[in-house]
């Protein structure tokens, strides 16, 4: 369901809200560099420079396979996407700029969610 479940004690299902927020990240106009794993065969240097690749489709798989025990693990992987991007791309490159925009968007929505938990 799109709406986060509100349990009887008023708590929300953190991981349900992470799944919903992931949908917002994936549909953001600047998400295109992050939708799929970076192709380690066609992007020179990426495999050596970025030790822990991460992308939105991998995060989706991890949610579906219940590999996050709380919102914390989800937040750490989303931040890994943007930290990898900063490490590999110039700030003023197309992909570097997209990474900064997406991180600002995520940080705002994450802060809003934390206020509700
Ligand atoms: C995060 N990162 C990504 C790349 C990269 O080259 N990524 C491939 C982008 C190509 N993907 C598209 O252009 C696209 C994808 C979906 C869509 F709906 C429309 C266009 C390189 C370095 C790096 O640090």
């Amino acid at each position: 369901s799109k709406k986060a479940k509100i349990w009887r004690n008023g708590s929300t299902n953190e991981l349900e809200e992470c799944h919903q927020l992931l949908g917002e990240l994936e549909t953001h106009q600047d998400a295109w560099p992050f939708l799929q794993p970076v192709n380690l065969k066609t992007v020179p240097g990426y495999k050596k420079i970025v030790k822990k690749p991460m992308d939105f489709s991998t995060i989706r798989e991890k949610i579906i396979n219940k590999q996050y025990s709380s919102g914390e693990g989800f937040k750490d992987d989303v931040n890994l996407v943007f930290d990898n991007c900063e490490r590999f791309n110039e700030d003023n490159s197309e992909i570097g700029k997209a990474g900064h925009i997406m991180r600002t968007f995520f940080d705002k929505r994450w802060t809003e969610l934390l206020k509700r938990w």
Side-chain angles (χ1 to χ4, degrees):
S1 70
K2 288 308 281 171
K3 187 82 192 75
K5 295 184 190 65
I6 304 290
W7 301 107
R8 228 189 316 282
N9 65 3
S11 75
T12 58
N13 173 343
E14 262 187 43
L15 289 174
E16 166 74 19
E17 300 220 41
C18 291
H19 184 249
Q20 199 171 321
L21 178 49
L22 177 63
E24 293 178 44
L25 293 172
E26 291 168 328
T27 52
H28 192 291
Q29 68 171 15
D30 296 310
W32 57 271
F34 315 109
L35 295 175
Q36 296 298 321
V38 175
N39 190 324
L40 303 180
K41 296 187 182 63
T42 61
V43 180
Y46 199 85
K47 187 166 169 32
K48 177 73 180 170
I49 292 167
V50 176
K51 301 306 178 192
K52 291 170 64 182
M54 187 51 63
D55 70 285
F56 295 161
S57 73
T58 302
I59 294 172
R60 177 166 287 279
E61 277 306 302
K62 289 181 73 172
I63 289 179
I64 289 165
N65 299 334
K66 304 241 182 289
Q67 289 176 260
Y68 296 121
S69 54
S70 74
E72 193 72 16
F74 167 80
K75 185 252 301 178
D76 289 344
D77 271 354
V78 173
N79 282 324
L80 178 58
V81 172
F82 303 140
D83 292 344
N84 289 342
C85 184
E86 279 205 52
R87 185 173 174 78
F88 191 78
N89 301 279
E90 298 291 334
D91 285 334
N92 61 2
S93 65
E94 284 309 302
I95 291 178
K97 285 184 294 189
H100 288 299
I101 291 167
M102 291 303 299
R103 186 198 291 277
T104 301
F105 174 80
F106 176 72
D107 286 348
K108 178 173 182 296
R109 293 290 292 109
W110 187 254
T111 305
E112 287 164 1
L113 279 188
L114 279 190
K115 288 200 176 81
R116 293 180 39 212
W117 291 341

